[in-house]
Amino acid sequence: MGTDLFRDKILILDGAMGTVLQQRGLLPGRMPELLNLTDPELLASVYREYAEAGSQVVYANTFGANALKLARSGHAVSEVVTAAVSTAKRAVDGKALVALDVGPLGELLEPLGSLTFERAYDLFREMMAAGAAAGADLVAVETMTDLYEAKAALLAAKENTALPVLVTMSFEESGRTFTGCTVASMARTLEGLGADAIGLNCSLGPDQLAPLLRELCENTRLPVAAKPNAGLPDPVDGHYGMGPEDFAAALLPCLEAGVTVFGGCCGTSPAYIRRLKAALDGKRPASRRYLEGSFVCTPVNPVRLDGVRVIGERVNPTGKKRFQQALLEDDLDYILDVAVQQEEAGADILDVNVGCPGVDEAALLPRVVKKLQSAVSLPLQLDSSNPDALEAALRVYNGKAAVNSVNGKPEVLARVLPIVKKYGASVVGLAMDQDGIPQTAEKRVEIAERILKAALAQGIPREDLWIDCLALTVSAQQEQAEETLKAVRTVRQELGLQTVLGVSNISFGLPNRALITQNFLIQALAAGLTLPIVNPNQREMMDAVAAFRVLSGEDDQCRDYIARFAAVSAAPTGQTAPVVSGVSTLEEAVARGLKADAARLAKALLQTEDGLTLVERRLIPALDSVGEGYERGTVFLPQLLSAAQAAQEVFEAVRASIVEKGGAPVKKGKLIVATVRGDIHDIGKNIVKTVLENYGYEVVDLGRDVPPETVAQAAAAQEASLVGLSALMTTTLPAMEETVRRLRALERPPVVFVGGAVVTPEYAARIGADEYARDARQSVEIARRVLG
């Protein structure tokens, strides 16, 4: 079936399951997935109604049927999934296809949380295998906010089933998901990983989703799905604002933008699907405008190669004894410092090479990738000749990476290109083969053409191939500089490919290397070099790039150039910024999320400052600055949590120092947090806990799915003056209301603040909560007011 299920036609999905079940008597706090075992006929009636309304695909009631969420139920994943799929297939009786519905696991993946990518994959794999065995016709991965989690689910589906896969993510009006992922990053990553269709669902109504869907259509060649909510919910009664007629009408502009797969999410019902089908009858898919060009990304940082993009070269042990020592000693913090300095210096992409005698590259490269992505937002170019290391690193990479490299040898192309294709990466092709590096530009171009042909045969898009025409040292082969430039010019102009050069190779063995390297870089840029691999910490190199961007017109109105030289430092030229001790201030270490540097700098400061002064005058302002950036939308959840984790290292150093001097540990006050009964999602509550702890508050975490009486008992026993409650699911809002009521009835009632994806300020006021916290930052402000 594959992509043909979605391609070149309009396909109608179903509407909501959860809100429909609530309307039909699902009790607050109950897991909808258990109805597959206790009341299959109720579910069958919903499936039948959707099929009769016009749904060509219905989602089995398996959204949360993973081992984490089912752990307390006593039921196995295979039992629940099999029952769900079987009931759905029986109910639709061939009138619609049945999708295995796969939602988020309910826990944050590393580095935001503690759930490893590998564990997430295993949890999804169990669901996929059960769904395929039960007879599901396709897989629908939905409501994802973390691109990393979406990747784990997509890989699990592709590697363990032969079913087509639709992946939809949930975006906010800001154009990013809860974790900061952009629409472009989502599109380019999931298409590369082999999704059959992608789209957006939940969180917003069709009006708010339309511009994001238009952007999605511009960034993918795949069929695009829209499954919005029935408008936005009323903040008090929770009813959604759009009726079936308005909902269907609001989706028609999405059809014009290029969307071909339609359905509904929260607040919709069979009546909405019936009206949607009528509105779409006789309509044809619209033409699409796709933004051509090369592209790499992390979730928060999409990098389109529509000009010169600098690849930082320094995460590489070649000729660097300190770097080699760090690899052998497993000092990943040093490697992170090297990467951070290059990001600060203006690199757009980082080359990452950990090949060194005595190092297990296949084991180390993925660990370094994870480490770098915990604090650096730049896309990575994975530099290795070891196919096993490349595959291991690509597997855990979050986003779309580049691979450096392949060459014209048939055996290398046959081994590496399938890996590149599977993980949707870009790839550098070296213009050399089994005979070595050609002496002429013509021969290098011939090899480039051979690599291009092999890449296209593997299904790798043309724009994902970059050619390295190879810069050789002029001290040994002076005539080769001109041959390299000729090859760059031909590859760029005649083949239309991105061009790469390790520019600094040109000056090996010569005095004043920076002068030779800069001059060659300028000539190469003029010849068509788009991806120079240089040391961004050398100011001459970045100055040359900045000037070229002005002269080529890439730097519109010279804005970046003017900003770069508005406050030029008097640093000596020709020198590389040393990487000795990482960042220089505690505030900077916290802001960048550099845990080792934060601990080191805190310990140094504690030699002359007392712990409380350090916390109040340095740490808290640093966290406040990150929090303010989060509120402005310039800092995203990964950076917020990385900063909190770095702050935790500072607090540990402060605590140790105070205890060593005979004092009491730093504590500002105690509060309780919990996710309410029936809700097994820990994400929001865990973020709040982490951030509050790093402001010095003692947080008693009662966990998830906590009964109202348990929260009240704990508040009384702990004599807590502040309690925070979280809910992600609309079905658990009554449990939140009951918990607030019990806390209010205590002899010494605490201040109660509430938050979560489905909670609004109006709802908080209605149920008697004292405060509403829209995010972790606001939770800190509440704690400050209540606890000091």
Side-chain angles (χ1 to χ4, degrees), residues 45-68:
S45 68
V46 178
Y47 298 136
R48 276 193 295 270
E49 288 179 34
Y50 275 125
E52 290 166 359
S55 293
Q56 296 162 284
V57 177
V58 299
Y59 286 25
N61 183 35
T62 54
F63 180 85
N66 64 70
L68 283 181

Side-chain angles (χ1 to χ4, degrees), residues 650-730:
V650 178
F651 268 105
E652 291 302 325
V654 169
R655 289 188 186 104
S657 174
I658 292 175
V659 170
E660 183 180 332
K661 296 173 183 177
V666 178
K667 289 183 181 178
K668 289 187 172 182
K670 181 191 294 184
L671 70 150
I672 291 173
V673 296
T675 301
V676 299
R677 183 180 61 195
D679 202 322
I680 45 75
H681 295 87
D682 262 335
I683 292 176
K685 182 259 297 173
N686 286 348
I687 293 169
V688 168
K689 175 190 175 186
T690 299
V691 174
L692 283 168
E693 285 180 335
N694 289 294
Y695 272 85
Y697 298 104
E698 182 182 355
V699 182
V700 178
D701 183 2
L702 300 183
R704 57 190 181 185
D705 191 16
V706 184
E709 59 272 19
T710 302
V711 178
Q713 290 166 5
Q718 297 281 345
E719 298 183 350
S721 53
L722 181 63
V723 174
L725 303 174
S726 173
L728 186 68
M729 302 163 61
T730 56

Side-chain angles (χ1 to χ4, degrees), residues 137-193:
D137 299 300
L138 67 151
V139 174
V141 177
E142 65 162 329
T143 324
M144 292 289 172
T145 59
D146 184 351
L147 185 60
Y148 210 24
E149 186 172 15
K151 175 177 180 174
L154 179 54
L155 281 178
K158 285 294 177 180
E159 293 178 348
N160 295 280
T161 81
L163 302 176
V165 186
L166 164 65
V167 183
T168 58
M169 297 186 69
S170 294
F171 280 75
E172 300 172 359
E173 285 191 88
S174 65
R176 292 180 181 264
T177 69
F178 169 64
T179 60
C181 180
T182 70
V183 171
S185 295
M186 169 207 168
R188 304 290 174 154
T189 300
L190 296 180
E191 179 172 344
L193 288 168

